Amino acid sequence: MGDQELIQEIVGLSKVYYNRQWMFATAGNLSIRSVTNPSQIWITASGKDKGNLNQTDFVCVDILTSEIVKNSLQPLPNESDSPLHNATKNKPSAETSIHQAVYQFSSTISAVLHVHTLSSNLLVYSVSSQEKFKLVDIPNIEIIKAYGIWNENPNLKMAVFYNFGNVKDIAESIQLFFAENPDYMLPFILVEGHGPTVWGNSILEANRHLEATAFLFDVMKESLR
C-alpha cells in the first residue's frame, strides 16, 4: 500500500472522528509516515475542516528538518474537481512539531492521530509550565488490553503535558519526556485542556489505540463525579 492509499484511509477516519464529535471544525490533526520515504510524514494541512477532508488536504514534511517536501498529492479520479490551486497553498498543521516528536520516539510508528474529545478536556491535573509534564495513574480496566498490555493490574501512568501557547514548546517537552522515559509503555500522551495524541505501527493499530484511549478518558472523567 502506498502513500495515496494510506491518506485515503486517514481521510475516511477523519469523517468518523468528526461524526463522533472528536474533531469539530478545524480541530485535530492526523498523519502517516511515508511508505516511499520513511523520513517524511503526510499531515493534515492547517485550517482544514475535518468533516470535509480530501486527499489534497495533506502536506508532506521532513520529520527531522520540518522542511515542506510536497504541498499536496494529486487528486484521485473521483476528486477531479478538487481545487488544486488551493492545495498549492497548503501549510502544515500548527501541531506538526508534536507529530514529529512522536515519530522520532520510534521508527516503527506509522500513524499519529490527535483529536479533541470532550472527556480529555475535562480531566484536570494542574501541570505547571515549570514542570512541563507529569505522570498520572490510569485505572486498571479491561480496555488497557487494546494497547497490547496483558499484565494483571499493570498500574500504568500516562504522560500529561502543560498546554503551552507555543506548540513547539509542547513538542520540546514531549521530546524531553521521551528522552527521560525511553520505556514509556502507553501509545498515547495527553496535553492538558487540549486532547490526546495517539500512535501505532499502522493506521489500524493507531485507530484501535485512539478508541481505547477515548473510552479510558470517559471512565476517568466519570470517576471524578
Side-chain angles (χ1 to χ4, degrees):
M1 187 177 289
D3 291 355
Q4 184 166 282
E5 290 78 14
L6 291 176
I7 288 174
Q8 280 302 108
E9 282 193 34
I10 287 286
V11 167
L13 285 178
S14 72
K15 300 182 191 311
V16 172
Y17 300 157
Y18 177 84
N19 289 332
R20 290 178 179 171
Q21 303 182 9
W22 294 355
M23 295 181 72
F24 272 162
T26 61
N29 30 80
L30 313 172
S31 68
I32 55 110
R33 189 189 293 270
S34 171
V35 174
T36 56
N37 190 334
S39 67
Q40 298 170 1
I41 61 172
W42 286 96
I43 187 166
T44 44
S46 178
K48 300 296 182 179
D49 185 336
K50 301 310 185 297
N52 292 293
L53 277 184
N54 64 55
Q55 71 155 17
T56 66
D57 295 328
F58 288 77
V59 180
C60 186
V61 176
D62 186 278
I63 292 174
L64 292 178
T65 67
S66 302
E67 177 186 357
I68 298 175
V69 180
K70 254 184 160 183
N71 287 97
S72 174
L73 281 171
Q74 292 297 312
L76 291 173
N78 63 356
E79 291 181 346
S80 57
D81 295 331
S82 297
L84 282 179
H85 64 281
N86 287 338
T88 61
K89 299 176 183 177
N90 284 342
K91 295 181 180 180
S93 165
E95 292 163 349
T96 298
S97 57
I98 293 177
H99 288 245
Q100 291 172 289
V102 173
Y103 283 108
Q104 290 175 46
F105 178 50
S106 173
S107 61
T108 66
I109 293 173
S110 296
V112 177
L113 313 174
H114 169 65
V115 299
H116 296 188
T117 69
L118 178 60
S119 292
S120 68
N121 278 264
L122 295 176
L123 295 172
V124 178
Y125 299 106
S126 301
V127 183
S128 71
S129 59
Q130 289 74 32
E131 61 185 337
K132 298 182 180 180
F133 57 81
K134 64 170 61 172
L135 286 164
V136 175
D137 292 330
I138 65 172
N140 292 317
I141 58 175
E142 188 75 8
I143 202 70
I144 290 172
K145 291 179 180 177
Y147 304 135
I149 299 169
W150 297 86
N151 300 350
E152 184 175 353
N153 297 324
N155 299 321
L156 298 170
K157 296 178 182 290
M158 70 175 180
V160 182
F161 292 82
Y162 180 78
N163 188 16
F164 287 100
N166 185 340
V167 177
K168 289 187 177 180
D169 290 337
I170 301 174
E172 288 178 4
S173 298
I174 294 169
Q175 288 179 311
L176 176 62
F177 172 79
F178 284 148
E180 295 180 357
N181 298 272
D183 298 322
Y184 183 63
M185 294 180 64
L186 292 170
F188 73 89
I189 56 175
L190 174 65
V191 178
E192 191 170 19
H194 190 159
T197 297
V198 180
W199 56 88
N201 295 340
S202 66
I203 294 175
L204 182 65
E205 184 178 73
N207 178 64
R208 182 172 69 248
H209 291 165
L210 178 54
E211 290 183 347
T213 301
F215 179 80
L216 174 68
F217 287 165
D218 285 347
V219 171
M220 295 174 72
K221 187 258 296 180
E222 288 297 316
S223 70
L224 299 176
R225 289 191 173 188

